[in-house]
Amino acid sequence: MIEELRKDFVKNTTQIIVSDTESRVLQSDNNILSIPTGNYLTSVHPFFYTISNLLEEPLDENYFYCVQIENLGKNYFFDIKTKIYRKSGQVALFLIDFTEHYKSVHKIKQARNESIIDFNIAQELNNELQVQRGFKNKFLANVSHEIRTPLNSIVGFIQVLQNTGLNREQLDLVNIVKSSSENLKSIVNDLLDISKIEAGRLEIKNKRFNLHLLLDELVKAHQIQAEEKRITFQFERGESLPRFIVLDRLRLNQVLVNLLDNAIKYTQVGNITFSVTTPSKNRRKIPIVFEVKDTGIGIDAENVTTIFESFTQLEKRGLFGGTGLGLSIVKQLSELMEGKIEVESVKGKGSIFRFTVEAGVSHDQKAEKKLRSRTSKSKESKNSKYRVLLGEDIEVNQLLLMRIFADHPDYSLDIAKNGEHVLKLLDHYKYDLILMDLTMPIMDGFDATARIRNHKNKHISKIPIIALSARCSDEDIEESKEVGMNGYLIKPIDERELFQTMEKLIQRYKRKGQGVS
Ligand code: ADP
């Protein structure tokens, strides 16, 4: 049996040829290739020219791998073993057929090569795309920053102008300028956010905060807007909604503002219902459902997904205004917060936008008490005036802050025109807080802060410092933290945010008696 199998196998896969050293065939079993006796092997394939060289080889037996030979229109791949009989001048050749094996290896190799090429091309395209995207983001960030700086003085001075005893007509005009510049400010902020999100540089910062307070503020602001359009605004707060949750307050606020603004914008008659509920209670993490329901123009079923793409607007541009960025930001923020955004809408009837997100819950009663006592403490200590030092070289900015401070009798403001000047004033007077511009001649805000933090006088070295800057790159914010600043406010300065931040830091500074961290 074995003998038969061996014969069969050899017949199908091996050919034995005996030739002379000139490659003339002396014998052949013709198992695979048919080569008549007396013919030269070199006429079958140039590979066989090697036979004449075998005499020079030191070994009698030699191996050649993967020799491709075409015979009678068929392509073979052989491994060839040669054995030379020097005395008789004869050569034995064993042609072992590995055609199937080499073909599949060849295919795999080719596929691998192609996939390497594909990968390289994809990488090349990806690099190009990244460069383009990087350029776009950089461009957006730079342009937005350039717009932000003059906006700073426009928005700020309008606030000041409003309180200068204007007559009715002047006040109406100022209000128009105010609302346009605020629109512009929010567009610039949206553009900056989109470029940050796309560059993967927007970080979600979860912290504990008072959810009820945030909702009250949102409801108040939107109730006024709704009243102006003569539509009803209802708010429903679920019974078991915790007061303190752990989430990114800033980004949650941004999602809700966008949804509520849209509801008011796209509703002409009827009502808007804002409800916030949670199905579960007494757990460490709970889902919170924020729902904004309107009786507005509604959205076609086919468009409910496209509205989340950047720059998508279903209505004719100009009819409602806007940039088509709001919902794209909402969607991307929702993803970053690991939440979910859903829409139900009927064209002409209204829409429901639902945002669901998991939030950490702090059932810690102590924290609430602490907050209450902190508010009462801050009220107590309000009897004395807070003394603030501003480091700022640009005159319009100095003027703007002086005017803003003029409306806050609990605070007084001194001005230093650069970092060096800040240090000088600190040596002569006692301050509760420093507002520090980052870019200043002679000594900039970073340098000045670093020197303050190394000051030998403990009162000076621990004083709270807030950066005021028109720049909002992560690098600047990071660097300001590294040198020891306690807060970072982006120009145009929001008056309310400025005083809230100052109050918080000064209270913490006074409570600790030795500084803030
Ligand atoms: P914008 O409002 O600036 O155009 P958004 O990204 O916020 O941009 O919204 C995209 C589009 O989705 C809007 O242009 C509008 O056509 C549609 N849309 C958003 N919210 C509503 C809503 N509450 N009712 C009807 N249509 C809406």
Side-chain angles (χ1 to χ4, degrees), residues 187 190 258-267 292-300 303 306-317 320-330 343 345-347 350-353:
I187 293 170
D190 279 356
N258 268 302
L259 298 183
L260 291 166
D261 280 356
N262 276 351
I264 294 178
K265 185 156 122 185
Y266 297 106
T267 304
V292 180
K293 193 168 157 188
D294 67 51
T295 54
I297 59 171
I299 302 158
D300 277 330
N303 286 323
T306 51
I307 52 170
F308 291 104
E309 286 160 20
S310 291
F311 304 107
T312 298
Q313 290 187 310
L314 305 178
E315 313 312 318
K316 270 201 195 104
R317 206 164 278 265
F320 291 95
T323 53
L325 283 176
L327 286 182
S328 154
I329 293 178
V330 164
V343 196
S345 191
V346 180
K347 186 84 187 160
S351 320
I352 303 175
F353 282 80

Side-chain angles (χ1 to χ4, degrees), residues 140 143-144 147-148 151 179-195 254 258 265 311 313 317 321-326 329:
L140 275 180
V143 169
S144 309
I147 299 171
R148 240 175 213 264
L151 251 187
S179 112
S180 308
S181 55
E182 268 164 7
N183 279 345
L184 188 57
K185 190 172 138 186
S186 78
I187 293 170
V188 172
N189 284 341
D190 279 356
L191 285 172
L192 273 171
D193 275 341
I194 281 283
S195 60
Q254 200 173 356
N258 268 302
K265 185 156 122 185
F311 304 107
Q313 290 187 310
R317 206 164 278 265
T323 53
L325 283 176
I329 293 178

Side-chain angles (χ1 to χ4, degrees), residues 102-303:
Y102 280 119
K103 264 190 187 160
S104 62
V105 170
H106 192 72
K107 259 190 210 147
I108 291 168
K109 270 195 182 163
Q110 196 170 343
R112 198 184 296 152
N113 277 344
E114 274 168 17
S115 79
I116 289 172
I117 291 167
D118 284 350
F119 177 73
N120 285 341
I121 291 174
Q123 214 171 26
E124 197 63 20
L125 284 174
N126 194 29
N127 286 346
E128 207 171 293
L129 210 71
Q130 291 298 341
V131 170
Q132 277 177 12
R133 194 171 281 171
F135 174 76
K136 190 189 88 192
N137 285 331
K138 229 178 180 165
F139 175 77
L140 275 180
N142 283 346
V143 169
S144 309
H145 170 250
E146 290 305 311
I147 299 171
R148 240 175 213 264
T149 313
L151 251 187
N152 172 30
S153 45
I154 297 175
V155 174
F157 277 114
I158 292 168
Q159 270 179 25
V160 174
L161 195 61
Q162 271 181 324
N163 301 325
T164 52
L166 302 175
N167 67 31
R168 237 207 120 63
E169 198 188 347
Q170 288 169 326
L171 209 58
D172 284 348
L173 294 173
V174 168
N175 281 339
I176 295 170
V177 182
K178 186 180 176 199
S179 112
S180 308
S181 55
E182 268 164 7
N183 279 345
L184 188 57
K185 190 172 138 186
S186 78
I187 293 170
V188 172
N189 284 341
D190 279 356
L191 285 172
L192 273 171
D193 275 341
I194 281 283
S195 60
K196 256 191 175 181
I197 294 173
E198 285 193 358
R201 290 204 338 257
L202 196 134
E203 250 181 72
I204 291 297
K205 291 173 185 149
N206 290 332
K207 266 193 187 156
R208 187 175 171 282
F209 69 91
N210 189 332
L211 175 65
H212 289 203
L213 211 65
L214 171 71
L215 295 176
D216 289 346
E217 281 173 16
L218 280 169
V219 170
K220 217 167 160 187
H222 287 89
Q223 240 155 11
I224 297 171
Q225 287 181 35
E227 263 169 33
E228 281 169 6
K229 282 187 84 174
R230 297 187 192 288
I231 42 183
T232 325
F233 189 98
Q234 284 168 338
F235 175 53
E236 291 165 7
R237 183 162 66 205
E239 265 180 29
S240 46
L241 199 69
R243 183 175 289 274
F244 288 95
I245 61 166
V246 180
L247 210 62
D248 189 324
R249 185 188 194 278
L250 179 74
R251 301 304 166 187
L252 173 65
N253 182 55
Q254 200 173 356
V255 168
L256 298 177
V257 165
N258 268 302
L259 298 183
L260 291 166
D261 280 356
N262 276 351
I264 294 178
K265 185 156 122 185
Y266 297 106
T267 304
Q268 303 308 335
V269 280
N271 53 286
I272 285 155
T273 313
F274 176 35
S275 70
V276 184
T277 51
T278 176
S280 34
K281 217 176 161 181
N282 296 328
R283 279 190 7 216
R284 280 182 150 260
K285 237 176 172 197
I286 53 162
I288 303 185
V289 186
F290 300 88
E291 198 174 272
V292 180
K293 193 168 157 188
D294 67 51
T295 54
I297 59 171
I299 302 158
D300 277 330
E302 70 208 54
N303 286 323

Side-chain angles (χ1 to χ4, degrees), residues 7 25 31 41 57 77 98 113 152 206 216 221 245 255 267 279 284 321 351 423 425 459 464 471 482 485:
K7 259 192 215 157
V25 176
N31 270 354
L41 282 170
E57 290 293 324
F77 289 93
F98 278 118
N113 277 344
N152 172 30
N206 290 332
D216 289 346
I245 61 166
V255 168
T267 304
R284 280 182 150 260
S351 320
L423 289 169
L425 288 178
H459 176 79
R471 300 193 304 221
E482 270 168 27
M485 292 182 169

